[in-house]
Amino acid sequence: MLQSLKLLENMFNIGIDFDNTLVHYDELFYEIALREGLIDSNIEKSKIAVREFLVNKGKESLFTKLQGEVYGLNILSATPSKNAIQNIRKFNDLGMKVFIISHKTKYPYIGEKYDLHKAAKKWLRHYLFLSSKGAKISEEMIFFNVSKEEKIKKIHDLKCDFFIDDLPEILNMIKPNIKKILYNKSHDDKKYNFDLKTQNWDLIGNYICSFL
């Protein structure tokens, strides 16, 4: 049905999450936490490992503060997910509409009052997501929502045909007619159903283009 509805106009609406979907933070979380003496050097270089280490030490508030530093002051040191730019550019070149739809508070809950929305847009410009030489996303296609409920409403209001997110609970909240792509290869909870599960942007690009 999705293919037949869209075939003639060659147009899909693609929604993409921001944190941990377009942006790769793992090494940055590790490096800052290690530099600040929050973790042992032998833990895995990943956001999840850093969080689990601090939570197990009863220091979850330090992880919350660390998130503000990573997503705000230090965000330009985070790298784009591999091949995300190339595949998003391909979507735009094919006439699809690409939206960034993120659940992101304006300021961190703890610590310095960084403007996280401004920092995220700065990162997108820095890595050419908003450039005609890069992913070719228009700034008016970017939506940062301060709650999960607002994010879900925006996905529906924009009539997304596909949504890409690293969080299964977000994908589980959207309408069943939307193709759900989980950008999280480690998740294996059987209570969730996804149309595609991968952390490979080339596979995501091939999957979406297969409906043309």
Side-chain angles (χ1 to χ4, degrees):
M1 178 62 73
L2 180 64
Q3 184 174 1
S4 62
L5 287 175
K6 296 289 182 175
L7 185 58
L8 293 178
E9 58 185 28
N10 192 27
M11 180 71 75
F12 291 123
N13 293 343
I14 303 171
I16 308 173
D17 178 47
F18 182 75
D19 293 316
N20 308 301
T21 303
L22 287 181
V23 195
H24 184 74
Y25 290 113
D26 283 340
E27 287 80 6
L28 185 57
F29 266 96
Y30 174 87
E31 289 166 7
I32 295 177
L34 186 64
R35 186 178 69 210
E36 296 184 0
L38 302 178
I39 60 172
D40 295 337
S41 60
N42 60 349
I43 74 165
E44 181 185 349
K45 293 183 179 181
S46 76
K47 174 187 173 181
I48 292 174
V50 171
R51 182 183 184 280
E52 288 180 349
F53 181 88
L54 292 174
V55 168
N56 289 337
K57 295 285 186 179
K59 299 178 179 179
E60 187 169 3
S61 63
L62 290 180
F63 179 78
T64 303
K65 181 174 180 291
L66 179 65
Q67 279 185 303
E69 295 176 14
V70 170
Y71 296 159
L73 180 64
N74 296 284
I75 193 170
L76 292 187
S77 296
T79 56
S81 297
K82 185 178 178 181
N83 294 333
I85 293 173
Q86 295 91 321
N87 281 282
I88 294 170
R89 181 188 178 93
K90 178 170 65 175
F91 300 151
N92 278 311
D93 286 344
L94 287 169
M96 304 179 193
K97 289 184 179 179
V98 178
F99 304 98
I100 295 175
I101 308 171
S102 169
H103 168 215
K104 182 182 283 291
T105 59
K106 181 79 169 176
Y107 303 106
Y109 292 112
I110 299 174
E112 294 291 325
K113 199 173 182 180
Y114 308 114
D115 186 327
L116 302 182
H117 293 187
K118 184 177 179 179
K121 287 187 177 180
K122 183 177 180 180
W123 183 91
L124 287 165
R125 284 191 291 270
H126 180 79
Y127 285 103
L128 304 182
F129 279 86
L130 308 185
S131 170
S132 60
K133 298 178 181 178
K136 303 170 87 171
I137 297 174
S138 299
E139 190 156 350
E140 60 266 25
M141 302 292 210
I142 302 170
F143 301 92
F144 294 119
N145 305 273
V146 297
S147 71
K148 290 181 181 179
E149 291 74 21
E150 285 184 22
K151 176 177 178 176
I152 299 305
K153 184 177 186 302
K154 184 62 67 174
I155 294 168
H156 293 155
D157 287 349
L158 293 172
K159 296 179 169 57
C160 289
D161 299 296
F162 300 86
F163 198 77
I164 308 163
D165 205 302
D166 68 301
L167 295 178
E169 56 266 32
I170 291 294
L171 295 176
N172 201 47
M173 292 169 70
I174 63 179
K175 293 178 180 179
N177 63 298
I178 301 171
K179 297 292 185 184
K180 302 170 177 62
I181 300 173
L182 180 67
Y183 191 77
N184 185 339
K185 63 182 180 181
S186 63
H187 181 83
D188 59 0
D189 194 325
K190 299 297 187 293
K191 71 180 179 180
Y192 297 108
N193 292 311
F194 311 109
D195 297 285
L196 179 67
K197 181 177 75 171
T198 182
Q199 276 189 311
N200 184 320
W201 265 97
D202 286 334
L203 291 180
I204 292 172
N206 291 338
Y207 174 74
I208 292 175
C209 290
S210 72
F211 288 88
L212 295 176

